[in-house]
Amino acid sequence: MSENVYVGNAPEEAALDAGWIMGHFKAPDDPRHNEAVEIKWGVHEAGERRAAWVRGEERQALLVLVSGRFRMEFPDQDVVLSQQGQYVIWGKGVDHSWEAEEPSVVMTVRWPSVPGYRVSP
């Protein structure tokens, strides 16, 4: 296989790093290391919430619902994703949080990949 091709398994790899499968936090020699983008395969139990709101967001993001029912919370509105493939995009400066209303799987893409947003579980 080419050194420029990496084949992985999102659910298996995500379980090893709090859901994250690509970003600045991967080792520099890992093909999933990337400072331009972060990708997360999020598996969440019903009722699970983000531990704290993201404030002063410096990235743009896209969250796509794979399965379940997932609510994104923003200062002026909540967005409920309930059908596979529904997505929400938000930009720099948009504070946010989330809650899984049902067992849910979501894929999140954020750019650029910058440190400083991890919260303790």
Side-chain angles (χ1 to χ4, degrees), residues 12-38:
E12 290 176 8
E13 294 174 21
L16 304 175
D17 196 9
W20 295 102
I21 58 176
M22 178 177 280
H24 75 275
F25 33 77
K26 296 294 185 183
D29 63 341
D30 187 319
R32 297 166 300 162
H33 175 87
N34 194 304
E35 295 186 13
V37 66
E38 299 173 352

Side-chain angles (χ1 to χ4, degrees), residues 14-109:
L16 304 175
D17 196 9
W20 295 102
I21 58 176
M22 178 177 280
H24 75 275
F25 33 77
K26 296 294 185 183
D29 63 341
D30 187 319
R32 297 166 300 162
H33 175 87
N34 194 304
E35 295 186 13
V37 66
E38 299 173 352
I39 300 175
K40 181 176 187 178
W41 181 262
V43 178
H44 304 284
E45 297 300 321
E48 185 179 345
R49 297 184 56 82
R50 191 169 199 289
W53 274 67
V54 173
R55 306 247 184 235
E57 178 64 81
E58 297 178 23
R59 305 159 301 181
Q60 292 180 277
L62 160 74
L63 181 138
V64 181
L65 182 69
V66 176
S67 64
R69 184 177 171 93
F70 199 80
R71 180 166 39 94
M72 287 298 304
E73 301 169 335
F74 300 100
D76 296 330
Q77 67 177 330
D78 286 359
V79 175
V80 177
L81 306 175
S82 60
Q83 295 178 6
Q84 184 178 54
Q86 287 183 318
Y87 65 91
V88 60
I89 298 172
W90 62 98
K92 295 178 181 180
V94 178
D95 297 344
H96 63 278
S97 192
W98 54 260
E99 179 179 9
E101 294 186 349
E102 296 176 354
S104 300
V105 177
V106 294
M107 178 169 269
T108 305
V109 179

